[in-house]
Amino acid sequence: MRRAAGVAAVLLSSVVLCWAVLFHGLGWTALYRESGGSCSGADCPEGLFTVILLAFVFSFAGTLLLSLALAKAALGRWVAVAAVVAGMLAGLLPGLFGYQWIRGEQVKIDSPVKAAEPLEIAWQAPLDRPATVKGLRGWSVGDSVVRVRTDGLSAYAVKDGKERWNVAAPVRESVCARSAHPSKGIGLVAYGRHLKPCATLAAVRLDDGTTLWKQTLKGEGIGKGIALGGATAVALEDAVVRGRSAESGVEQWKRPLPERCQALAVGATAARTLVVEECMPAKTGGVVTARLLALDTATGKEEWATKLPVESAGTASVYSVEPAVVGFQETDERGTRAVLTFDERGTVRTALPFSGRLGDLDVRRSDADLMTEGPFVAGNTLVAAVQKPGDTLPQYVAGYSITDGRELWRTGELGVIGALTLRPDGRVAVLTSGWPRSDIVVLDPAAKGAMRKTSLGKEAPVSIDAEMLAVRDGYVVINRYTDGEPPVFALR
């Protein structure tokens, strides 16, 4: 019995020592990956301080207990070695589960023992000519990415960056609007002349650059946006919202806007189209009203309409269609300036302020601003870059509940965020642009923001306004403004 008790004591103390080794290895590696080697206070990634503290506790306790157990057990050399090895092996799995629980991770995500895949700059497209042309972001479709510029569209192969095709804007016209996303291999763009309405609407097939159709619109042309949902192209035109066949341009439906009203923003999926509508008061000094309309994309039939908490004119953006998430910024400084979320019946769930006591959401409020792309909706979580009070650039990412607006998690300081994107698997990838190196951080919104970090080893050529697209085997970054940076480059 005494011999058995001695073996048990050695086994248990070896388990504690195993946890010390495991927590030291995982903790210090995570500190380097996630915080560049140091952090303090609230800036530390979740649970990391506890992990490193426990690593030291386990080290002292494990060493002391093992020394006492070996001294009192009086086991033979090989029996003692076998007991220590067995204890170390037995502690691995419980230690790993404990680490994941403390860090707020789930077992289903990538094991923290496995290093993140190394990334490097695979290719860079040649500099723009003429250099004065402005980029308008782009699309990912199949094995190509398409960059939209004011003078036309260019497609690049994801594999090697070779230009596959180019579509020039009509003579003396510039691209003045584009759909946020392609659909069924088609992209929607609009052209306009200098100081003239954005009045030429066209659909482009993105595999070869063929223009499927082009139409000249009447009156003031495109107002505040165009969108593609399934096989339907939706345009906010002069006093009407109109749906057309994306392949032929034939009108499918139209919805006239009420008198003194205009559409501020549009977003579409194959099933639903969201339109933000603003109406001026009939009398001077009256209150401005605004509504969010949900329409059937194929037919234009109204599904629901919700009055927004607005009393002055403003700007709007559609961040997500399903679920419905929009941003509204009133001219009234004390008015609504927030991300608004809605349930399936159109009832307002929550209003998340653009600017709060804990920082500012660094999200796009119009196509003209230089904010980071987003926010993104992953499941029931809204993910956005965040700029803390006192900072001039965003260096954090946070997740918020779309049902009640609570902050669910926030990363430690990641470095200056150059771009971020929502991946097809529901995770969010963040590209930092700081010197002397750039990092790719992949966050899992479903696991309290659990992250994996990979350093590129050098600074990525990210401009002051960049968009990142998730593609097969990596990412492609599209620079909107370039000052020596390439217009497009790939990370793989």
Side-chain angles (χ1 to χ4, degrees):
M1 287 294 294
R2 184 176 180 181
R3 182 181 179 85
V7 171
V10 172
L11 283 171
L12 291 175
S13 55
S14 298
V15 167
V16 176
L17 198 59
C18 169
W19 293 347
V21 174
L22 191 65
F23 275 41
H24 271 299
L26 295 177
W28 293 108
T29 301
L31 182 65
Y32 174 77
R33 288 201 323 263
E34 299 174 20
S35 295
S38 64
C39 67
S40 62
D43 290 342
C44 279
E46 180 180 355
L48 197 51
F49 176 79
T50 301
V51 166
I52 294 176
L53 179 62
L54 286 175
F56 284 105
V57 171
F58 290 149
S59 295
F60 291 118
T63 302
L64 179 62
L65 291 174
L66 183 59
S67 299
L68 292 174
L70 290 174
K72 292 185 176 182
L75 302 175
R77 177 185 300 178
W78 295 112
V79 174
V81 169
V84 170
V85 171
M88 295 287 285
L89 293 176
L92 280 175
L93 193 58
L96 180 57
F97 281 119
Y99 171 86
Q100 290 177 322
W101 180 76
I102 294 171
R103 296 299 314 279
E105 299 176 359
Q106 295 177 354
V107 179
K108 66 178 182 180
I109 68 172
D110 294 328
S111 168
V113 174
K114 180 182 176 182
E117 293 292 334
L119 290 174
E120 59 183 19
I121 298 175
W123 53 261
Q124 302 182 47
L127 297 180
D128 278 344
R129 292 294 182 271
T132 55
V133 171
K134 183 173 65 175
L136 299 172
R137 302 188 180 86
W139 302 307
S140 172
V141 53
D143 58 356
S144 300
V145 291
V146 179
R147 186 185 186 222
V148 185
R149 307 198 317 169
T150 49
D151 65 343
L153 290 73
S154 299
Y156 301 87
V158 169
K159 180 180 179 181
D160 53 19
K162 290 183 178 179
E163 187 172 277
R164 289 187 162 172
W165 53 260
N166 182 274
V167 174
V171 176
R172 286 192 172 275
E173 293 190 18
S174 298
V175 176
C176 47
R178 58 98 177 95
S179 58
H181 305 284
S183 180
K184 296 186 179 297
I186 297 173
L188 197 63
V189 295
Y191 306 102
R193 291 175 64 90
H194 180 61
L195 299 180
K196 299 292 183 181
C198 187
T200 302
L201 185 62
V204 179
R205 194 168 65 197
L206 301 181
D207 59 352
D208 59 9
T210 300
T211 298
L212 297 175
W213 53 268
K214 186 186 298 183
Q215 294 185 12
T216 301
L217 309 180
K218 298 179 180 179
E220 295 301 315
I222 297 298
K224 298 291 185 177
I226 52 181
L228 276 170
T232 303
V234 182
L236 305 183
E237 301 181 26
D238 190 13
V240 67
V241 181
R242 196 184 309 271
R244 294 179 174 84
S245 166
E247 294 185 351
S248 66
V250 174
E251 181 181 299
Q252 294 177 336
W253 53 267
K254 68 177 180 180
R255 179 188 176 88
L257 296 173
E259 187 179 357
R260 297 186 303 277
C261 296
Q262 64 171 331
L264 297 182
V266 64
T269 65
R272 173 187 290 172
T273 293
L274 292 182
V275 177
V276 180
E277 178 187 272
E278 177 186 78
C279 297
M280 296 296 106
K283 298 180 180 180
T284 303
V287 174
V288 173
T289 60
R291 298 191 303 166
L292 178 64
L293 307 175
L295 311 176
D296 182 281
T297 299
T299 65
K301 181 179 178 181
E302 182 179 307
E303 295 179 351
W304 48 259
T306 296
K307 183 178 179 180
L308 302 181
V310 169
E311 295 184 8
S312 66
T315 58
S317 299
V318 176
Y319 298 131
S320 171
V321 177
E322 298 176 280
V325 179
V326 305
F328 201 100
Q329 179 168 273
E330 287 189 63
T331 53
D332 180 357
E333 291 185 358
R334 297 292 293 162
T336 296
R337 295 185 169 196
V339 177
L340 306 173
T341 68
F342 306 81
D343 65 18
E344 282 301 304
R345 297 183 297 276
T347 303
V348 177
R349 282 173 159 173
T350 185
L352 182 63
F354 286 143
S355 181
R357 300 178 69 87
L358 297 179
D360 298 340
L361 299 184
D362 192 79
V363 298
R364 294 194 182 274
R365 306 175 197 182
S366 73
D367 273 349
D369 67 35
L370 300 180
M371 302 297 184
T372 306
E373 197 72 23
F376 301 108
V377 178
N380 291 319
T381 305
L382 182 93
V383 181
V386 177
Q387 181 177 313
K388 288 186 67 175
D391 290 348
T392 57
L393 294 168
Q395 301 190 62
Y396 305 81
V397 177
Y400 303 88
S401 167
I402 64 171
T403 58
D404 58 21
R406 289 181 301 112
E407 183 174 306
L408 302 175
W409 50 264
R410 180 180 294 208
T411 67
E413 185 176 322
L414 300 179
V416 176
I417 296 173
L420 68 162
T421 187
L422 181 63
R423 294 166 30 131
D425 62 6
R427 294 189 290 179
V428 173
V430 183
L431 172 63
T432 65
S433 58
W435 184 87
R437 72 172 196 273
S438 293
D439 300 316
I440 285 283
V441 180
V442 179
L443 306 170
D444 188 349
K448 298 183 180 180
M451 67 175 76
R452 298 178 70 201
K453 186 175 183 179
T454 300
S455 174
L456 299 180
K458 60 181 178 180
E459 186 176 7
V462 186
S463 77
I464 60 173
D465 187 8
E467 177 184 23
M468 185 162 65
L469 304 173
V471 298
R472 185 181 62 184
D473 299 329
Y475 308 92
V476 171
V477 178
I478 298 177
N479 286 320
R480 184 179 182 189
Y481 292 98
T482 57
D483 183 17
E485 300 91 357
V488 185
F489 66 93
L491 299 170
R492 189 164 52 241

